[in-house]
Amino acid sequence: MLQIHTTQGLDQIEVGLRMAAERHGGKVLAVSHVGQLLQSGLDMKGADAIAFTLCFPSLYTPLLLADIRFAAFLPSRVAVCAAGHGVFLEAIPPREYCRLLHRPEVEPLAASLEDALRLVMEEAAHGLARPRPGDHLSTEEQVNMRATVPQRIDCLGTKV
């Protein structure tokens, strides 16, 4: 298991992970807050988790050409888990896919994906992925519309 400890909070990881993935030719396809599935009656002492689905098209193509069964493991997922003692980024190493499919000869292709995945995780964990001027840091799904005041228009259609 690829595991990297971070001092950043669970809420700070997403922006760094998105930027690091883009820097290495990938992107975040989906974000799933799986920690909300924990039953509230269980005392998990602050445990929470967010799963990120990352896509690296240029690194996936050689793997899929070598064996289409790699589609069962792609795109890659990174879990950011908060437990009582810290926050960890975790992912299954792509070389493990080769072992599961009994294809050891494909490990060099999986190694390049594993290296990219590790770099992205380390950059996000250690805050190395910083926004550049002009970068947009939020997506439409991340905007909270709660407490937003709608436009007020009178009966003649003019804004009040």
Side-chain angles (χ1 to χ4, degrees):
M1 189 73 127
L2 293 175
Q3 184 182 63
I4 298 172
H5 180 264
T6 181
T7 56
Q8 295 189 48
L10 195 64
D11 57 338
Q12 299 170 321
I13 296 293
E14 183 174 355
V15 171
L17 201 58
R18 285 182 185 277
M19 294 176 63
E22 286 180 16
R23 185 173 296 128
H24 293 281
K27 63 181 177 176
V28 175
L29 296 178
V31 179
S32 305
H33 188 188
V34 293
Q36 67 189 3
L37 301 175
L38 295 172
Q39 294 179 358
S40 59
L42 299 175
D43 186 23
M44 298 297 287
K45 303 211 188 298
D48 200 1
I50 300 175
F52 295 90
T53 305
L54 282 84
C55 182
F56 297 93
S58 63
L59 298 174
Y60 291 170
T61 303
L63 284 171
L64 292 169
L65 289 173
D67 193 333
I68 196 65
R69 296 180 299 161
F70 279 102
F73 305 106
L74 302 175
S76 304
R77 291 178 51 103
V78 174
V80 181
C81 305
H85 54 280
V87 176
F88 294 89
L89 284 82
E90 302 197 28
I92 296 174
R95 282 187 243 192
E96 190 65 29
Y97 307 159
C98 299
R99 289 185 196 101
L100 290 169
L101 294 174
H102 305 292
R103 295 293 307 268
E105 70 278 5
V106 186
E107 278 196 37
L109 297 174
S112 60
L113 174 59
E114 188 170 325
D115 293 341
L117 193 57
R118 185 186 319 270
L119 282 172
V120 167
M121 291 169 63
E122 286 176 355
E123 285 182 22
H126 301 302
L128 301 175
R130 296 282 179 219
R132 296 182 300 266
D135 281 350
H136 298 287
L137 299 179
S138 62
T139 61
E140 186 175 339
E141 298 88 30
Q142 296 170 317
V143 177
N144 185 352
M145 296 304 289
R146 187 180 311 155
T148 302
V149 179
Q151 287 184 350
R152 302 286 186 224
I153 300 177
D154 63 11
C155 61
L156 300 175
T158 56
K159 293 180 182 178
V160 178

